[in-house]
Amino acid sequence: MAADTPLRSGRRRTSTTRGAPLKRTPKRLDDTPTVFDATGRGGVAMRSGGGRGAAALPMRGATAPGETDEPGVLVTAPAEVAEIDPAVRATARQIASRLSMRRARRDVTTRRGIGDLLSVPYRGASDEIDLDKTIEVLAERPVPEDEDIVVRERMRTTRSVVLLVDVSGSMRGERIKTAAATVGAVASELHADAIGVIAFWSDAAIVSRLGDVVRPMALLDDILRIPARGLTNIAFPLELAQQQLARVPARDARVLLLSDCVHNAGPDPRPLAARLPRLDVLLDATGEKDVELGRELAAKGRGICRIIHGHRDVAPAVSEIFAGT
């Protein structure tokens, strides 16, 4: 990342992994990958200088500010940021119009103090009866069963989804436009859920933190403002996604990887995929690609891999990935 980038950085440790050799040998990174802050909040850049107190990214639900003993440097906006192509926004809207993603399922178990207050059948875990609903049921069933008693429970109905977007050099041109349009479309469809967005190359940038207010077209623009360059390190964003989802129940958490899966830098990403609650892969096959790795990452992440050959394939692929979840 060029020195005049508007992104703020902080060093992260990358996990070392062992396993069967990959089909291609990725380049070993001599320096620890950097995570940049591209949330647009402004401020300072944390430059790693080997200090012991690198600032941690805030996780969902955290309230305390991070601290570091590293020097801060004010970074100005780059001159290369250009006006976003209206055609890309149009593509995003076209994808969104064709998406058919089901709402998150309501859990039948109690999670006190979380989520919407709903009327549900009694299952032995509530003492607040919904009298109106219960009377309606008893009017038709004079000999009631336990589940004929309707109670009020707080139930969480949102998913927590982290989108990982490949902006490496192999994603230049139409590929990055399709990826950005996909982010805009998916974020629009999942507006009621918690969304996080991470762009990555050999390093990574937090574009939106999990739980931030989602502005789909702004996310699209933010992705396109990051120059597509450098090698592809898939392991690093998987590690960052795991950190963002650390405080989310596994049944509500998932990761969607948008990439050609040409992993050519950094450690083996497969062990990191296996640590995620669920990892799905949307693999762009319009140019160089590694379908075998994409499928293996999805399998280890208990998800599915869907291959696309252009933006028209995105909506049915993503709809299938989120079907029934």
Side-chain angles (χ1 to χ4, degrees), residues 66-280:
E67 295 182 358
T68 179
D69 58 4
E70 297 180 358
V73 180
L74 188 63
V75 180
T76 58
E80 63 181 306
V81 172
E83 185 175 342
I84 305 304
D85 186 350
V88 182
R89 286 196 181 92
T91 299
R93 294 188 176 97
Q94 181 179 351
I95 293 171
S97 68
R98 298 180 62 203
L99 284 174
S100 178
M101 297 163 63
R102 296 182 184 179
R103 299 299 312 138
R105 292 176 294 186
R106 287 190 169 95
D107 199 334
V108 297
T109 60
T110 301
R111 294 187 226 173
R112 294 184 181 276
I114 299 177
D116 301 324
L117 192 62
L118 304 173
S119 295
V120 296
Y122 175 72
R123 301 188 188 279
S126 176
D127 55 7
E128 183 181 347
I129 298 177
D130 187 329
L131 290 176
D132 292 338
K133 295 289 185 182
T134 301
I135 290 172
E136 290 179 10
V137 174
L138 296 182
E140 299 178 358
R141 301 174 186 174
V143 182
E145 302 286 340
D146 286 348
E147 291 190 358
D148 292 333
I149 307 300
V150 181
V151 296
R152 301 281 282 172
E153 294 282 4
R154 289 198 178 275
M155 295 184 137
R156 185 173 184 156
T157 59
T158 61
R159 290 168 289 215
S160 294
V161 183
V162 179
L163 306 178
L164 307 180
V165 189
D166 188 347
V167 296
S168 63
S170 62
M171 294 291 287
R172 288 191 185 101
E174 289 302 313
R175 281 180 150 188
I176 191 63
K177 293 179 181 179
T178 298
T182 301
V183 169
V186 172
S188 178
E189 185 71 10
L190 298 180
H191 65 278
D193 296 305
I195 307 294
V197 180
I198 299 173
F200 70 93
W201 54 107
S202 54
D203 297 310
I206 306 298
V207 181
S208 178
R209 292 188 179 91
L210 196 63
D212 283 354
V213 175
V214 175
R215 296 181 177 85
M217 292 301 105
L219 287 177
L220 181 155
D221 291 353
D222 290 341
I223 294 295
L224 293 178
R225 287 191 178 101
I226 301 174
R229 63 178 66 166
L231 300 174
T232 307
N233 179 3
I234 295 177
F236 192 44
L238 295 182
E239 183 181 0
L240 295 176
Q242 182 185 20
Q243 292 169 7
Q244 288 213 16
L245 293 170
R247 298 189 181 186
V248 177
R251 55 188 159 186
D252 298 329
R254 59 191 303 164
V255 177
L256 177 59
L257 172 66
L258 315 177
S259 176
D260 55 19
C261 291
V262 180
H263 175 72
N264 52 25
D268 187 345
R270 294 171 296 179
L272 287 162
R275 297 176 197 169
L276 295 170
R278 172 164 176 165
L279 171 65
D280 297 293

